[in-house]
Amino acid sequence: MTAPPPVRPPAPSDDRRAGVPAVRPPSKLLAPLRETGKLFALAAEVTRAIFRRPFQLREFVEQFWFVASVTILPAALVSIPFGAVIALQVGSLTQQLGAQSFTGGASVLAVIQQASPLIVALLIAGAGGSAICADLGSRKIREELDAMEVMGVSPVQRLVVPRVLATMLVAVLLNGMVSVVGTLGGYFFNVIMQGGTPGAYLASFSALAQLPDLYISELKALIFGFIAGIVAAYRGLNPRGGPKGVGDAVNQSVVITFMLLFFVNMVLTAIYLQIVPPKGG
């Protein structure tokens, strides 16, 4: 019997022969950067798709009504204690400093510039954004989005764009309502509970407030609504692990949105204070 031929090791690949190192799997440390890049890529794609036809008007109206219906009442109820707490805290501080006449202006500016956009964005992210994420995630695991791509329909233009526009419009409209309700709540608690005078409250507001304060409030609401819609859509389009992954994606979307909102709010406030001079300054 002849001996079997010796087993030779596999020949090196062309890359190794040429001295090129083998490609390593991506590092886990870069995973957050990749996720951030994908999120910004989705935001850019949604921005481009907004101006592309056909526009899904019916889907937009349905999503607008849904997001508004689940956020109007909670926003109104939450804005009252927010305005009251701000008015009570600012009123107590101004009394210690001997500047009671500026209580109304300071509390109303705090409600309009800071509290109102954040309240609206947090409620939209918690109520509307979680529902958007769950809806898109369930469609993803049922392979409906893959079927749409096979038929030549863009899921971003068909499903994501109407939802993002709905959250933006609802945020802008709710911001005005929350500003009015919060201001009325602060007025009531300052005048009734702290013994302030209505005339001094309104006079201090007219002396300190200016129209750009309302502009920055609406701009914040618009940007916050866009962020809430984009983050919810991104996590809904990328669930992991089946139905359990959809639930995890919903929780992650709410947490990520909250973190981004506070960071963006800080940046916008710093820019506004540098660009717009205070009234009378």
Side-chain angles (χ1 to χ4, degrees):
M1 295 179 61
T2 59
V7 179
R8 296 181 179 180
S13 62
D14 297 337
D15 293 340
R16 295 181 60 184
R17 288 175 183 174
V20 178
V23 178
R24 297 181 179 180
S27 174
K28 293 183 178 180
L29 297 177
L30 300 178
L33 295 178
R34 289 193 297 271
E35 295 294 328
T36 304
K38 293 178 181 178
L39 178 63
F40 278 94
L42 178 62
E45 185 178 358
V46 170
T47 304
R48 291 193 303 267
I50 289 175
F51 306 99
R52 194 181 305 160
R53 294 187 179 183
F55 180 73
Q56 305 298 327
L57 181 60
R58 180 176 180 180
E59 186 77 16
F60 167 74
V61 173
E62 291 177 355
Q63 295 301 319
F64 172 82
W65 176 251
F66 169 74
V67 177
S69 63
V70 298
T71 53
I72 287 179
L73 184 59
L77 296 178
V78 169
S79 60
I80 297 176
F82 257 89
V85 169
I86 291 175
L88 294 175
Q89 188 67 39
V90 173
S92 176
L93 181 62
T94 53
Q95 286 180 2
Q96 296 177 14
L97 299 176
Q100 295 90 339
S101 59
F102 294 102
T103 301
S107 60
V108 171
L109 287 179
V111 170
I112 293 178
Q113 288 189 17
Q114 304 297 329
S116 178
L118 285 176
I119 291 173
V120 170
L122 295 180
L123 288 175
I124 288 180
S130 59
I132 291 173
C133 182
D135 179 41
L136 294 177
S138 61
R139 291 172 184 262
K140 181 65 175 180
I141 64 174
R142 291 198 303 264
E143 300 181 352
E144 292 183 15
L145 304 183
D146 298 333
M148 293 176 63
E149 293 179 353
V150 171
M151 292 186 294
V153 179
S154 173
V156 173
Q157 185 177 5
R158 177 64 178 81
L159 300 176
V160 177
V161 170
R163 286 163 171 77
V164 173
L165 289 178
T167 57
M168 294 171 64
L169 183 58
V170 171
V172 172
L173 297 179
L174 276 184
N175 183 65
M177 185 196 73
V178 172
S179 299
V180 173
V181 176
T183 301
L184 293 178
Y187 173 85
F188 175 80
F189 279 89
N190 178 259
V191 173
I192 301 301
M193 299 188 63
Q194 292 184 320
T197 58
Y201 192 94
L202 298 177
S204 63
F205 171 66
S206 61
L208 296 178
Q210 52 186 339
L211 201 55
D213 297 328
L214 181 60
Y215 294 159
I216 188 61
S217 178
E218 293 293 348
L219 179 62
K220 283 182 178 181
L222 184 69
I223 296 176
F224 292 168
F226 179 78
I227 293 175
I230 288 294
V231 174
Y234 174 74
R235 294 306 305 143
L237 294 175
N238 300 278
R240 295 176 185 149
K244 181 180 181 300
V246 176
D248 296 338
V250 171
N251 296 332
Q252 294 171 6
S253 69
V254 175
V255 174
I256 294 173
T257 303
F258 284 10
M259 296 173 61
L260 289 177
L261 289 179
F262 287 108
F263 175 75
V264 175
N265 180 63
M266 179 189 66
V267 173
L268 292 177
T269 302
I271 295 175
Y272 174 76
L273 294 178
Q274 291 295 326
I275 294 177
V276 180
K279 190 174 181 180

